[in-house]
Amino acid sequence: MDAREFAGMMLDLERISRASVESLFFRSCAQYELSMNELRLLLELHKAGRCTVGEMSDVLGILRGNMAGLAKPLERRGWIRRRRSLEDERVVFLELTAAEAKAEGILRQVQERFAPILQNEPPETAEAILTGLKSLYALLAQI
């Protein structure tokens, strides 16, 4: 495979992946009136527990300057809390509030939707997909 073919396949993969992920999370976004980026922020906080705005910016691939616009509405709605570091006031931490249970509910909805698909695949197929994804991640990390 040459670089041009690889680039075309990567663009196709990005388009298909984005559509599939949005479809998978659409019900939760609609139910909780969240944008996809807001949902991603909540799920990443659920996974991490607590992190800085800069760390979340890197994880989500969103410019640091745009993080306030993403976090403030979630804070007003009571989903997250923003706290300045006592050691360095330039650092702002993000953490889930009582929304932890809602985040778990969202994850449960996704698992319920995804589980039947995985159950229909033989274990070796799932393992091959996982191995391929890990190889792809390693390759993309070099770019």
Side-chain angles (χ1 to χ4, degrees), residues 20-80:
S20 296
V21 168
E22 287 177 359
S23 172
L24 185 62
F25 289 101
F26 176 78
R27 186 179 308 145
S28 296
C29 286
Q31 178 181 350
Y32 293 104
E33 297 178 359
L34 298 167
S35 71
M36 191 64 193
N37 280 336
E38 289 172 331
L39 180 65
R40 289 180 60 214
L41 186 149
L42 293 172
L43 294 178
E44 289 296 335
L45 273 179
H46 181 265
K47 185 169 51 174
R50 174 178 116 150
C51 66
T52 67
V53 168
E55 291 167 341
M56 184 60 69
S57 169
D58 293 342
V59 168
L60 297 179
I62 294 174
L63 295 173
R64 290 176 190 216
N66 294 336
M67 285 300 298
L70 183 60
K72 281 182 183 179
L74 290 172
E75 185 178 35
R76 281 194 298 270
R77 292 173 58 194
W79 285 81
I80 66 170

Side-chain angles (χ1 to χ4, degrees), residues 110-121:
V110 170
Q111 288 169 345
E112 289 169 1
R113 189 142 183 240
F114 205 62
I117 297 167
L118 290 177
Q119 289 173 349
N120 291 332
E121 293 295 329

